[in-house]
Amino acid sequence: MSGWQGKTVKKSGVEDMTLLTQIKEAAICENLKKRYLDDLIFTYIGPVLISVNPFKAMPYFTDNEIGQYQGCASYENPPHIYAVTDNMFRNMVIDKEPQCVIISGESGAGKTVAAKFIMNYITKVSGGGDAVQRVKDVILQSNPLLEAFGNAKTSRNNNSSRFGKYVEMQFAGGGTPIGGKISQFLLEKSRVVSQNPSERNFHIFYQLLAGATDSDKEALGLSTPDYFYYLNQSGTYTVDGICDIDDYNEMRSAMNTIGLTADEQYYVISIVAAILHLGNVSFVENGNYAAPADATYLQFPSYLFGIDETQLTTKLTSRVMTVRGESTDVLFNPEQAGQARDALTKSLYARVFDLLVESVNQAMTTKNFDNTIGVLDIYGFEIFKKNGFEQFCINFVNEKLQQIFIELTLKAEQDEYVSEGIKWTPIDFFNNKVVCELIESKKPPGIVSVMDDVCATMHAQTDGADSKLLEKLMGATLPGANHFNLFSAGFTVQHYAGKVTYDAEGFCERNRDVLFTDLIELMQSSNIPFLVSLFPEKTKEKSKGRPTTFGSKIRTQANVLVDTLMKCQPSYVRCIKPNETKKPHDWDENRMKHQVEYLGLKENIRVRRAGFAYRRPFEKFVQRFAILTPETWPKWHGGAIDGCKHILSAVHMEPDQWQVGTSKLFIKNPESLFLLEESRDRKFDGFARVIQKSYRAYKGRKDALQRREEASAVVFNRKQRRRGTINRNFVGDYLGMEDKPQLRQFLPKRMKVEFAAICTKYDRRFKAADRYLIMTAKEIYLIGAEKIKKGPEKGKIVEVVKRQLALNNLQSISVSELQDDFMIFHVKGEYDTLIECLFKTEFLTVYTKKYEALEGSKPTINFSNNISMTIKKEGWGGGGTRSVIFQRGTGDAALLKPSGKGLAISIGDGLPSNTRPSNKPLASSNRASVTSMSGKSSRNSSQRKRQSVNKSLSSSRPSPSGAKPNIHKSGAKGLAKTTVAEVDDADIFQQQQSSSTGRAKPGRPPPKPSPASKPKVMVKAIYAYEPQDAEELALNENDMIELLEERDSGWWKGKLNGKTGLFPYNYVEKV
């Protein structure tokens, strides 16, 4: 088991329930329970994700998991909603088809949280600049805004969505989000005016009372929740785990993000406050008619609405009716006045909610998009003790969503096998289409149509309408009547999730969903333009036809939604609620069995096990996997079916794993599909490497030319250039510092090495010694080697810092005007240092850039053939000076002649000082060739100098074994008559490195017998590998490589076809 679950975690059930040994509800529940109790909330049924609400925050939703699941096949990691989302996102980009995810489950099962994770993942993995980031911000910030106005605490869920939304994220061709659209429906307006015990009104009311500033509270007349009738009916004001103050601040931030102005934000909040104040207006009977119980409660709502208080009183207690052209004032009784008040507040709240949704859409609208991903989040199936009109509408929409699931995962799949001629044994399942027809059918009329007929004859009279509805239902011939039962106060519907009994009280009134014209005109008389804009109706125009009822709207919206979803490639997240206590690790077995049964998980597993995991039209299959064979890539010239067979044959897929239908190719097991996808990814990875390699080569040539030009500018018209080096590429690190911890130990941690090479340093007597010359952004290091003289490690050779110079402490650097490689570092207040470095021009270029970055001015570089240098004090003697004189001689090798306090250096003419590099790169301009110049040429050059001077580090070393390397032609010739043992510099530094690990000892060791040869260890390449560096080996599939060294870094060393180099260990297997 891998990924965030860890490698040592115990196995909890099966990750994909198609692998269960028994396909029974009990076995499904047991598997889900094992995983749930081990905090593994996700389980697969093929491509369908089952999510069990943990009722606590889980640790595996961080950026680490996003990176882990991005671009991976579903089987590579444990089940996760990120895997479903990534698969959906990649399919949209690759197949260029719209995608959607249907999140279903009952209330409190975790659907809203799942939708958040999906949208968060997509915004994280999709690219884009500032404009795209704004779209992402709007999409994410729409959540806290719409949750504040659309979510509430219910008896079953502390953050229940009391509306449905379909978030459509719009993308450009490459998968960049460029826009979006939110469709909302079924807002539970009745919650504004009443709530059940232990429930709350919409979150926004409590957020406003808790989070508003003192000045806003005073301006809006706000108090505590128990002061307002619309909030104190349930007696519940706070929710565990929810901070209304924090949520209010987040909601206001979201308003800013979507572009609401400060005035618009204030008016939205003031309407919310006005609704609370209006709810405190109650009515009593006065002469058989309604009158306000306390008129003072009308002052604040009329003030916040910007309307006349008297007019508000009149419109709440009466209405104008027009009968045969004559207008009559109809006075309300207290109950009717209360209904008018509630109708106004519900309408106001719904219009504000619609405005917020529209504002979100305007903030991210776009017309030019290539594809979409839709996320459906709708409040789930509900069964309460008392179920009313709202539950009826909610359950109807959930019934439609269940029908989609059945159609696409059970019925349509089996129908497709039959139509495609695939061998198949049918599996029985319950099709809930009959329940949908019972509710929405027009001919014969279903429940909604019967209810609309009753509402059409109600007019202004509401008394007895619900009884009339029951009478009509009793006499109607309903489709699917065997799923319907009638009783005296309501009716029962056998839904897919179980029987639900609905109380018919208030059905017709809520279905009419009508706001009296008088109240609309009252709001239109406001002196606040924002409020007036919420009521655009033209009340003077006579409407034609029957008014649209709420039930008809829901029926239309549900069918439009279904049509939209059916046009997309769907993914499914089935959310399950494990208990009613809302506590983690609490498992209600009966509740779980009920959900497993009505969600049809058993049938889903049976269809997946017996069916085919993947199917695609022939043309699309060839298009997706054409890259797997040279015959089909980039274009297949044969028939689509032949192309499919050719690809499957090329990857050696077993014949029993696929079948050819009449229009589609079917692949049975997910593992077979994963084989195709893995092969496809490897091909694309190989092509990407070729492109990257070509680009790096191009960029390298471009950068190298720029560096050569910069270097030329440093010495142009001031110093002769060496032949054969003017066009060479700059490497910077000629030592391979990443593999030299014995040198990196002297540098600050994570400090970048700007330049590193071997050089020769000359002392006051012009005696030569090897040094490592290393430069960082701030300092120059000269590192040499010394023997330990005392202690248990006596005789061991270790690296030590011989000199450390801060760049800003260098007074200047002096070089000659000839083509030699000498430099003199002049240090402020200290002695100077004379060195010879083959890469002196590159060094001076890097030094100039780093000094300028550090000090803000160019460094001083002197060009002269007569240079004076200060030498280091030794003992009682004074420091003094030495002179270095450069003379024209013959040849390209410098001849050194010390005499007393001076050193004469003669060298032949090089290229003129005004020579510039050409645009044509050297044929050998790769890292390996340049590094070899550092590793051999520089060392051989300094080796010849040391032959003619007094003993240095090499005098006490054993002679190197093996053949002596060739001497570079540019090395300095011997100067003094003294002869010392000839030792290769490369061997010196090799011995220094090996000594630092304690393996080498001073003196010549006695000869040892040759050890027995070890058997060769061979590895086999399982993938092709394109080298990214000259030090790496190129691998072809099935190559046999001799393994020389296994390294912890993941790069092994081996030999192939006579070449030694590095290769990634995960591309090979031992044989």
Side-chain angles (χ1 to χ4, degrees):
M1 195 169 291
S2 60
W4 45 263
Q5 293 182 15
K7 295 182 179 180
T8 59
V9 71
K10 67 178 182 179
K11 186 175 178 63
S12 299
V14 296
E15 295 182 344
D16 190 332
M17 290 194 289
T18 57
L19 303 177
L20 287 173
T21 55
Q22 291 184 325
I23 310 177
K24 297 180 179 179
E25 275 90 358
I28 296 171
C29 286
E30 182 62 26
N31 188 72
L32 292 174
K33 179 180 179 180
K34 285 180 182 178
R35 296 180 60 76
Y36 173 75
L37 294 180
D38 284 334
D39 287 337
L40 304 176
I41 64 173
F42 296 122
T43 309
Y44 290 135
I45 298 178
V48 177
L49 182 71
I50 310 300
S51 173
V52 183
N53 192 343
F55 291 109
K56 66 176 181 177
M58 305 304 291
Y60 38 77
F61 294 98
T62 68
D63 289 347
N64 290 334
E65 281 72 40
I66 289 177
Q68 176 182 335
Y69 281 85
Q70 185 177 359
C72 294
S74 58
Y75 69 91
E76 295 183 61
N77 292 301
H80 202 293
I81 198 166
Y82 288 164
V84 175
T85 310
D86 187 77
N87 183 64
M88 181 171 57
F89 180 73
R90 284 190 294 134
N91 286 341
M92 179 199 69
V93 174
I94 295 171
D95 295 336
K96 303 188 185 306
E97 292 178 341
Q99 308 284 318
C100 71
V101 56
I102 301 174
I103 309 171
S104 58
E106 64 182 58
S107 180
K111 299 182 297 301
T112 298
V113 175
K116 287 182 186 177
F117 285 133
I118 290 171
M119 289 188 285
N120 182 61
Y121 182 91
I122 294 173
T123 56
K124 285 290 181 71
V125 302
S126 53
D130 292 340
V132 171
Q133 187 58 46
R134 166 159 172 73
V135 172
K136 293 181 179 181
D137 291 342
V138 171
I139 291 172
L140 294 179
Q141 287 295 305
S142 67
N143 283 323
L145 178 62
L146 297 184
E147 281 188 16
F149 284 83
N151 286 30
K153 178 191 182 304
T154 67
S155 60
R156 306 184 66 185
N157 185 359
N158 287 345
N159 186 35
S160 177
S161 296
R162 308 316 297 164
F163 73 107
K165 67 177 177 180
Y166 184 64
V167 181
E168 201 171 49
M169 304 174 69
Q170 299 162 339
F171 297 84
T176 301
I178 57 175
K181 179 184 177 183
I182 296 178
S183 302
Q184 72 86 14
F185 43 90
L186 208 59
L187 177 69
E188 188 187 26
K189 296 183 294 183
S190 62
R191 180 166 294 272
V192 176
V193 300
S194 65
Q195 310 88 41
N196 294 323
S198 78
E199 296 190 348
R200 289 206 316 178
N201 209 320
F202 290 104
H203 292 323
I204 183 58
F205 294 109
Y206 308 91
Q207 293 176 8
L208 176 61
L209 298 182
T213 63
D214 291 340
S215 59
D216 284 345
K217 288 180 180 179
E218 183 178 354
L220 300 174
L222 299 180
S223 182
T224 55
D226 57 354
Y227 173 81
F228 297 102
Y229 175 72
Y230 281 165
L231 304 183
N232 63 23
Q233 298 174 55
S234 67
T236 301
Y237 306 117
T238 60
V239 182
D240 292 339
I242 291 180
C243 178
D244 290 318
I245 296 177
D246 292 344
D247 290 348
Y248 177 79
N249 294 329
E250 189 176 5
M251 182 274 299
R252 291 298 299 268
S253 175
M255 284 184 166
N256 291 325
T257 300
I258 69 171
L260 287 180
T261 66
D263 286 345
E264 289 172 333
Q265 293 183 38
Y266 175 78
Y267 288 134
V268 168
I269 296 304
S270 67
I271 291 174
V272 172
I275 288 173
L276 290 177
H277 285 293
L278 190 59
N280 281 355
V281 178
S282 60
F283 301 94
V284 295
E285 188 172 331
N286 184 6
N288 295 327
Y289 300 110
D294 187 344
T296 57
Y297 283 113
L298 288 161
Q299 294 174 0
F300 238 106
S302 60
Y303 161 70
L304 294 175
F305 288 147
I307 58 178
D308 181 72
E309 180 182 339
T310 304
Q311 282 294 310
L312 177 59
T313 304
T314 300
K315 299 303 181 183
L316 290 178
T317 56
S318 67
R319 62 171 296 203
V320 176
M321 285 190 64
T322 302
V323 180
R324 297 176 182 176
E326 293 185 7
S327 297
T328 305
D329 288 333
V330 178
L331 300 179
F332 293 157
N333 60 34
E335 181 182 356
Q336 291 171 329
Q339 292 173 352
R341 174 203 62 197
D342 291 345
L344 177 59
T345 55
K346 289 190 292 184
S347 180
L348 271 168
Y349 192 85
R351 290 168 191 250
V352 168
F353 189 77
D354 290 341
L355 177 134
L356 293 175
V357 173
E358 182 58 29
S359 298
V360 172
N361 288 336
Q362 288 179 0
M364 57 181 179
T365 184
T366 182
K367 294 181 179 179
N368 302 315
F369 58 90
D370 295 303
N371 258 312
T372 61
I373 291 179
V375 181
L376 178 63
D377 175 22
I378 184 171
Y379 46 155
F381 198 91
E382 293 185 345
I383 307 177
F384 297 134
K385 290 182 179 179
K386 182 178 180 180
N387 302 286
F389 180 73
E390 285 77 14
Q391 281 67 48
F392 176 76
C393 295
I394 291 169
N395 293 343
F396 164 62
V397 175
N398 277 273
E399 200 77 55
K400 294 289 288 186
L401 296 181
Q402 175 70 3
Q403 187 184 7
I404 294 178
F405 184 79
I406 289 173
E407 283 288 336
L408 297 182
T409 63
L410 300 176
K411 181 178 184 300
E413 183 162 347
Q414 298 194 73
D415 291 346
E416 184 178 43
Y417 294 149
V418 174
S419 64
E420 290 282 336
I422 301 298
K423 296 178 182 178
W424 177 254
T425 302
I427 293 174
D428 294 331
F429 61 92
F430 169 67
N431 190 339
N432 74 327
K433 184 178 180 181
V434 63
V435 181
C436 294
E437 291 177 346
L438 167 67
I439 298 172
E440 68 174 339
S441 176
K442 294 181 179 179
K443 291 184 180 180
I447 297 173
V448 172
S449 295
V450 172
M451 187 163 47
D452 286 352
D453 288 340
V454 173
C455 291
T457 61
M458 282 173 54
H459 302 296
Q461 184 65 33
T462 60
D463 296 340
D466 297 327
S467 299
K468 183 104 178 262
L469 170 63
L470 295 177
E471 290 178 12
K472 281 259 190 180
L473 290 174
M474 183 180 295
T477 304
L478 298 173
N482 56 331
H483 293 274
F484 177 83
N485 288 310
L486 200 65
F487 64 97
S488 59
F491 56 89
T492 300
V493 176
Q494 176 67 58
H495 288 283
Y496 76 95
K499 289 184 178 181
V500 182
T501 298
Y502 297 101
D503 190 330
E505 182 182 358
F507 255 64
C508 292
E509 177 62 27
R510 291 174 179 176
N511 185 50
R512 285 185 69 210
D513 195 35
V514 175
L515 184 65
F516 293 145
T517 301
D518 303 59
L519 293 174
I520 295 175
E521 292 176 344
L522 175 65
M523 293 295 106
Q524 291 175 341
S525 70
S526 169
N527 59 19
I528 302 174
F530 180 85
L531 181 58
V532 175
S533 68
L534 298 179
F535 292 85
E537 291 93 336
K538 297 179 180 179
T539 58
K540 302 303 181 184
E541 296 181 2
K542 291 185 178 180
S543 60
K544 297 180 179 179
R546 179 186 293 183
T548 304
T549 63
F550 192 82
S552 295
K553 289 178 185 177
I554 291 301
R555 178 171 57 190
T556 302
Q557 288 178 332
N559 284 297
V560 169
L561 175 64
V562 168
D563 291 342
T564 301
L565 296 175
M566 295 291 281
K567 293 175 183 176
C568 303
Q569 288 296 321
S571 299
Y572 302 95
V573 178
R574 309 285 269 174
C575 297
I576 293 179
K577 186 177 182 181
N579 60 64
E580 283 290 354
T581 63
K582 306 173 191 172
K583 294 180 180 179
H585 289 182
D586 185 9
W587 184 267
D588 187 332
E589 187 71 19
N590 291 331
R591 158 172 282 283
M592 289 299 298
K593 285 183 178 179
H594 177 63
Q595 290 176 87
V596 166
E597 181 179 357
Y598 77 66
L599 288 173
L601 301 189
K602 182 178 72 172
E603 292 78 9
N604 194 192
I605 294 172
R606 292 177 63 195
V607 171
R608 294 303 306 177
R609 283 182 62 158
F612 292 79
Y614 175 88
R615 77 287 316 275
R616 272 292 184 274
F618 302 130
E619 295 79 7
K620 289 195 173 184
F621 180 86
V622 174
Q623 179 184 359
R624 184 176 181 94
F625 297 107
I627 196 172
L628 296 183
T629 75
E631 293 81 9
T632 53
W633 181 263
K635 185 176 181 181
W636 172 249
H637 297 285
I641 296 179
D642 293 335
C644 294
K645 293 180 177 179
H646 178 80
I647 292 171
L648 295 173
S649 175
V651 298
H652 308 295
M653 186 176 292
E654 295 296 331
D656 62 352
Q657 288 298 304
W658 53 277
Q659 283 193 46
V660 174
T662 57
S663 64
K664 296 179 181 179
L665 178 77
F666 292 79
I667 294 178
K668 189 168 185 60
N669 291 330
E671 293 79 8
S672 301
L673 175 62
F674 299 153
L675 166 68
L676 288 169
E677 293 288 356
E678 272 191 352
S679 302
R680 181 179 181 274
D681 289 344
R682 285 201 300 270
K683 285 289 186 180
F684 273 112
D685 182 64
F687 287 167
R689 286 178 177 273
V690 171
I691 295 171
Q692 290 171 349
K693 182 178 179 182
S694 300
Y695 176 76
R696 281 197 295 265
Y698 160 76
K699 190 73 166 54
R701 290 193 298 271
K702 188 175 180 180
D703 292 345
L705 176 60
Q706 181 180 350
R707 288 194 294 268
R708 291 199 300 270
E709 290 174 346
E710 291 173 350
S712 176
V714 173
V715 298
F716 187 71
N717 275 337
R718 305 172 80 179
K719 183 176 178 63
Q720 296 178 4
R721 306 298 303 275
R722 277 194 179 276
R723 295 178 178 84
T725 64
I726 191 169
N727 284 327
R728 75 170 185 84
N729 287 339
F730 291 168
V731 173
D733 180 9
Y734 296 92
L735 300 179
M737 289 293 290
E738 290 184 1
D739 297 325
K740 290 196 166 41
Q742 71 273 23
L743 298 181
R744 286 209 67 97
Q745 65 176 321
F746 302 117
L747 277 58
K749 288 184 178 179
R750 293 181 291 276
M751 178 63 75
K752 181 183 177 182
V753 174
E754 305 292 345
F755 178 88
I758 295 175
C759 71
T760 302
K761 177 258 180 187
Y762 293 88
D763 66 7
R764 56 187 290 153
R765 298 181 181 85
F766 305 114
K767 182 175 70 174
D770 275 332
R771 293 288 185 267
Y772 291 117
L773 175 63
I774 301 171
M775 178 168 34
T776 67
K778 295 182 178 180
E779 294 180 299
I780 296 174
Y781 298 82
L782 286 168
I783 300 175
E786 287 185 356
K787 281 185 180 179
I788 298 176
K789 297 180 179 179
K790 296 181 180 180
E793 294 186 334
K794 180 180 179 181
K796 180 180 177 181
I797 300 173
V798 295
E799 286 77 12
V800 294
V801 176
K802 294 293 187 179
R803 196 166 193 192
Q804 183 174 343
L805 303 172
L807 293 187
N808 55 10
N809 204 35
L810 276 180
Q811 182 173 325
S812 63
I813 295 179
S814 295
V815 295
S816 76
E817 298 173 352
L818 305 180
Q819 65 164 326
D820 60 274
D821 300 322
F822 289 87
M823 296 183 291
I824 299 175
F825 297 160
H826 302 285
V827 186
K828 298 174 183 178
E830 299 183 31
Y831 64 93
D832 302 334
T833 296
L834 171 64
I835 67 168
E836 183 183 14
C837 178
L838 181 63
F839 308 111
K840 83 283 182 184
T841 306
E842 181 177 353
F843 176 88
L844 291 173
T845 304
V846 176
Y847 165 70
T848 299
K849 294 173 68 175
K850 296 305 166 185
Y851 185 94
E852 191 170 356
L854 195 63
E855 294 294 301
S857 60
K858 291 186 178 297
T860 302
I861 300 178
N862 301 315
F863 296 84
S864 173
N865 289 337
N866 193 339
I867 305 172
S868 177
M869 60 178 287
T870 302
I871 63 172
K872 183 180 181 181
K873 282 187 176 184
E874 289 188 357
W876 295 98
T881 60
R882 295 287 186 271
S883 62
V884 182
I885 300 172
F886 296 86
Q887 302 169 342
R888 293 179 64 185
T890 59
D892 292 333
L895 298 177
L896 280 65
K897 186 176 181 181
S899 59
K901 294 186 178 182
L903 174 65
I905 301 174
S906 61
I907 191 169
D909 288 337
L911 296 174
S913 61
N914 61 356
T915 306
R916 289 190 180 276
S918 67
N919 291 338
K920 184 177 180 181
L922 293 176
S924 59
S925 60
N926 54 57
R927 182 183 180 97
S929 62
V930 178
T931 305
S932 67
M933 292 171 66
S934 172
K936 296 181 181 178
S937 304
S938 177
R939 300 174 191 177
N940 291 338
S941 174
S942 59
Q943 171 196 346
R944 299 211 306 171
K945 300 180 187 68
R946 293 197 304 280
Q947 293 176 19
S948 54
V949 297
N950 292 331
K951 285 185 177 182
S952 64
L953 293 175
S954 64
S955 59
S956 61
R957 304 291 173 90
S959 300
S961 59
K964 176 182 175 183
N966 295 326
I967 298 175
H968 196 279
K969 64 180 181 179
S970 63
K973 293 185 177 179
L975 304 175
K977 302 299 181 182
T978 307
T979 304
V980 296
E982 187 168 323
V983 183
D984 191 343
D985 291 345
D987 186 69
I988 294 174
F989 279 79
Q990 182 180 358
Q991 185 175 351
Q992 291 170 359
Q993 295 170 36
S994 62
S995 298
S996 66
T997 61
R999 290 193 297 270
K1001 296 184 179 180
R1004 184 183 299 276
K1008 295 181 180 180
S1010 301
S1013 59
K1014 295 182 179 180
K1016 292 182 179 180
V1017 178
M1018 304 298 291
V1019 295
K1020 180 182 178 182
I1022 55 178
Y1023 309 119
Y1025 176 71
E1026 288 287 337
Q1028 309 301 303
D1029 197 294
E1031 299 173 354
E1032 299 175 9
L1033 293 177
L1035 305 182
N1036 292 316
E1037 194 171 348
N1038 298 323
D1039 277 350
M1040 299 298 295
I1041 307 102
E1042 180 183 356
L1043 180 61
L1044 302 179
E1045 181 183 359
E1046 296 183 27
R1047 299 182 178 180
D1048 292 338
S1049 65
W1051 289 89
W1052 288 0
K1053 185 176 181 181
K1055 182 184 288 187
L1056 175 65
N1057 299 329
K1059 181 180 178 180
T1060 300
L1062 304 176
F1063 57 91
Y1065 81 99
N1066 54 345
Y1067 277 61
V1068 301
E1069 61 181 7
K1070 290 184 179 181
V1071 295

